[in-house]
Amino acid sequence: MSLFKHLINRWSRSERQRSVNRDLQHTQKTKAALSNQLDNNLQLLQKVYADCSDIIFHNFWIGDQIQAVLIYIDGLTNTEEVDQHVLAPLQKDFPHEYNLETIRKKIAVSYIKQVEIIDDIIAEISVGNAFLLVDQENQGLSIGVSQWKTRSIEEPSAESVLRGPREGFIESLQANTALLRRKVRNSNLKIRTMSIGTYTATPIGIAYIEGIAEPDLIQEMMSRLERIEIDGILDSMYIEELIEDNPYSPFPQVLSTERPDVAGAYLLEGHIVVLVDGSPSVLIAPTTMFALLQSPEDYYERYVGSTAIRWLRYLFFIISLLGPSIYIAVITFHQEMIPTKLLLTMAKSREQIPFPALVEALLMEIMFEALREAGARLPKQIGAAVSIVGALVIGQAAISAGIVSAPMVMVVAITGVASFMVPRYVLGIPIRLLRFPLMFLAGFLGLLGLLLGVIVILNHLLALRSFGVPYLTPLAPVQSSDNKDVLWRAPHWRMNTRPHLTGMQNLYSQSSNQRGDQPAEDDDE
């Protein structure tokens, strides 16, 4: 009991200390400000940026009469703009009477902000802006001349399509918001910004369409983001794990994409898009299981073909999860389900195999996963060749050596191909992981164990939520009007309404008279 009390007291002291530290940081931030002495301000900022060789302190005179210092980061600031639009105008003839407003008018840059708090100055310099300190002034000017190298906009390799847009998000938040603006050209597209991370201060953008997105959903997203306290955010995955409803679930509860057209489509349905500076993947919430099984190309091809491919995708999705387990259960416990001729052929192929079907499947599945990871991590020039050659050589050698049977190799190969049909890689990972416990259940209990495992998975999926939206909607709970984009892909002239759980505020997305073979309505009537 005394040990328990000691732990409780220690935890309470640590919580009080954290609270004191937060209050102290807030107090220091509000009180630390510039003085009107340039030397004092310069010493303070030089102390802050001690041992930072890329921080440039450029001393100069404004009009040969006023001492000033320009501070910027080498590599994040456009030095050509600094020379042409900042230094050149200020070093010419200057009036004897001056103030910050006079200096501001001389600088030919659109973004200029007066700052006096030290933490705000550091934040402005960190994003690439140049900061101007002037003698006898207790405020400085943050000048927007930031510029850094970014890669060009190109098609995402993980979400390529045969027909449709060929552009993708990049690592720049400004470029990504511009790509969204190109898709949704309306003032109702709102993009709120905030910074997360004590040390990284990573800019985050929250995009939604006002009038379509539910206000409660927007408030919930902002609440979850605002309560994040972390040292740094380096990728959108940090945000995803911190805002999802059930962090212990293997299934993703937030959809990630690198395609602006996909993000725009979900915005029009009432979803929220979260953009993270430095990451090409944006987050879309809420999401469902069926949204993760949809491909962008479903909407860029004829609806008949898209529906057939979607059914095929659903079928192979089930095969990728249950294929090896069904084979293990049938070959181990339920041989009567196999036709006699096929059973004799399979028995002959397994005649020299020393392992049971469960061990066979485990060996082949583990080897297949190893080859897949090796192919993904190796350079592109040799990754595909290594994975293909490795699978062929190892599979044939294992059959010849009598370690595994030919039917087992076929089952594992078909399962591997089926797993590649899942359009979202994040959904394929939990399926690959759940395949192993299902194999154990099938190996020990047969189809009864497999059925038990499926019931557990379904029970988990039925209880799962993404920002309050059931994970299996619109099948559970049933929303019959939303099935036009789940069980099949209805033609665009039939998609008149938005999803009920995200677009109820503005349910109708188009008029009902959109078919080309219908006569146009008379405007005079």
Side-chain angles (χ1 to χ4, degrees):
M1 183 62 70
S2 60
L3 178 61
F4 179 74
K5 290 182 178 179
H6 173 71
L7 293 176
I8 292 294
N9 293 333
R10 184 175 179 181
W11 177 81
S12 301
R13 287 196 300 270
S14 63
E15 286 297 315
R16 288 195 297 270
Q17 185 62 41
R18 291 193 190 98
S19 177
V20 170
N21 290 340
R22 285 195 295 267
D23 295 340
L24 181 61
Q25 290 176 1
H26 179 72
T27 303
Q28 291 174 345
K29 181 175 180 179
T30 55
K31 289 185 177 181
L34 294 175
S35 68
N36 58 359
Q37 297 296 321
L38 178 61
D39 292 338
N40 295 338
N41 296 333
L42 187 58
Q43 290 178 3
L44 178 60
L45 289 174
Q46 285 177 338
K47 184 178 180 180
V48 170
Y49 289 110
D51 300 325
C52 297
S53 59
D54 57 337
I55 305 296
I56 307 300
F57 291 84
H58 180 73
N59 296 274
F60 68 102
W61 290 82
I62 299 177
D64 294 331
Q65 57 182 333
I66 309 164
Q67 189 177 3
V69 177
L70 192 67
I71 308 170
Y72 61 90
I73 300 177
D74 187 19
L76 290 184
T77 304
N78 190 335
T79 55
E80 293 183 1
E81 287 194 16
V82 169
D83 294 338
Q84 295 177 7
H85 304 301
V86 181
L87 294 178
L90 294 180
Q91 290 178 329
K92 294 180 180 179
D93 294 337
F94 208 79
H96 291 286
E97 295 183 0
Y98 74 93
N99 52 35
L100 278 182
E101 188 63 30
T102 307
I103 297 173
R104 183 172 186 167
K105 291 179 180 179
K106 288 285 186 177
I107 300 174
V109 176
S110 60
Y111 176 84
I112 302 178
K113 179 182 178 182
Q114 290 188 203
V115 185
E116 60 180 345
I117 305 300
I118 297 298
D119 288 307
D120 295 337
I121 295 172
I122 296 173
E124 293 289 332
I125 296 175
S126 298
V127 298
N129 294 335
F131 190 78
L132 179 64
L133 287 173
V134 183
D135 194 18
Q136 302 302 319
E137 295 287 346
N138 60 358
Q139 289 184 335
L141 296 179
S142 176
I143 306 169
V145 287
S146 61
Q147 183 187 47
W148 55 86
K149 299 293 182 181
T150 58
R151 65 183 177 94
S152 60
I153 296 174
E154 54 190 15
E155 183 179 11
S157 58
E159 298 180 72
S160 59
V161 295
L162 297 177
R163 180 180 177 180
R166 305 298 174 118
E167 58 188 8
F169 290 118
I170 60 174
E171 288 75 13
S172 171
L173 179 61
Q174 291 80 5
N176 292 343
T177 55
L179 287 171
L180 272 186
R181 289 286 181 187
R182 285 189 61 194
K183 296 298 179 185
V184 184
R185 297 181 175 93
N186 193 284
S187 60
N188 286 330
L189 174 58
K190 308 299 181 181
I191 301 178
R192 301 186 187 180
T193 58
M194 60 189 303
S195 297
I196 299 179
T198 306
Y199 294 99
T200 61
T202 306
I204 308 293
I206 302 95
Y208 60 91
I209 298 181
E210 190 176 42
I212 297 180
E214 293 288 340
D216 292 341
L217 177 61
I218 300 170
Q219 183 60 37
E220 179 64 21
M221 175 62 77
M222 296 300 299
S223 175
R224 295 190 187 189
L225 291 173
E226 288 172 352
R227 68 170 178 249
I228 296 177
E229 295 182 4
I230 191 172
D231 284 347
I233 299 293
L234 302 179
D235 186 75
S236 59
M237 176 52 72
Y238 288 61
I239 298 293
E240 180 178 344
E241 291 190 349
L242 292 171
I243 65 173
E244 59 187 1
D245 291 53
N246 188 347
Y248 298 105
S249 173
F251 292 93
Q253 297 137 61
V254 178
L255 188 148
S256 62
T257 182
E258 296 184 31
R259 299 185 61 91
D261 55 323
V262 173
Y266 279 100
L267 283 173
L268 293 172
E269 291 184 352
H271 296 254
I272 296 178
V273 175
V274 179
L275 306 97
V276 180
D277 189 44
S279 174
S281 299
V282 304
L283 305 177
I284 300 173
T287 190
T288 64
M289 167 75 79
F290 301 103
L292 295 167
L293 287 171
Q294 294 172 356
S295 171
E297 206 164 22
D298 290 351
Y299 306 93
Y300 302 141
E301 299 290 349
R302 298 281 299 169
Y303 66 92
V304 176
S306 297
T307 301
I309 293 174
R310 183 172 291 185
W311 288 348
L312 187 67
R313 191 182 299 138
Y314 289 164
L315 173 63
F316 275 84
F317 174 74
I318 297 173
I319 291 175
S320 66
L321 176 64
L322 304 179
S325 304
I326 293 176
Y327 177 81
I328 293 171
V330 171
I331 203 69
T332 305
F333 295 98
H334 311 283
Q335 296 90 347
E336 68 277 2
M337 298 178 61
I338 307 174
T340 304
K341 291 185 178 179
L342 179 59
L343 179 61
L344 292 175
T345 303
M346 295 175 66
K348 184 177 180 181
S349 65
R350 290 184 48 81
E351 187 177 4
Q352 303 297 326
I353 306 302
F355 305 115
L358 175 60
V359 177
E360 270 190 280
L362 289 174
L363 289 175
M364 292 303 300
E365 284 289 345
I366 292 173
M367 183 55 62
F368 186 85
E369 294 296 332
L371 288 172
R372 177 173 9 205
E373 288 301 312
R377 302 291 174 263
L378 287 172
K380 293 182 179 179
Q381 293 81 356
I382 60 175
V386 169
S387 59
I388 294 173
V389 172
L392 292 175
V393 172
I394 293 176
Q396 186 60 41
I399 295 173
S400 302
I403 299 177
V404 296
S405 61
M408 179 60 73
V409 174
M410 289 182 59
V411 170
V412 172
I414 293 172
T415 304
V417 172
S419 64
F420 289 135
M421 291 193 66
V422 179
R424 303 290 176 184
Y425 181 76
V426 291
L427 182 60
I429 294 176
I431 297 304
R432 290 157 57 185
L433 294 177
L434 292 173
R435 194 184 300 157
F436 289 94
L438 290 179
M439 288 164 55
F440 278 105
L441 288 173
F444 290 114
L445 300 175
L447 291 178
L448 179 62
L450 179 57
L451 182 61
L452 177 63
V454 171
I455 291 174
V456 171
I457 294 174
L458 285 177
N459 184 64
H460 173 71
L461 292 175
L462 289 170
L464 201 58
R465 297 289 187 273
S466 174
F467 283 79
V469 174
Y471 203 59
L472 293 183
T473 187
L475 295 185
V478 176
Q479 298 285 345
S480 57
S481 60
D482 291 346
N483 285 330
K484 60 181 178 295
D485 196 23
V486 174
L487 298 180
W488 58 85
R489 206 280 276 174
H492 288 292
W493 46 265
R494 286 287 304 275
M495 296 186 181
N496 302 327
T497 58
R498 296 183 175 90
H500 279 72
L501 295 179
T502 56
M504 282 298 294
Q505 188 175 4
N506 188 350
L507 186 59
Y508 292 94
S509 60
Q510 63 184 27
S511 63
S512 58
N513 186 29
Q514 296 292 318
R515 284 179 55 179
D517 60 344
Q518 290 183 350
E521 294 181 356
D522 191 353
D523 295 337
D524 296 334
E525 294 182 3

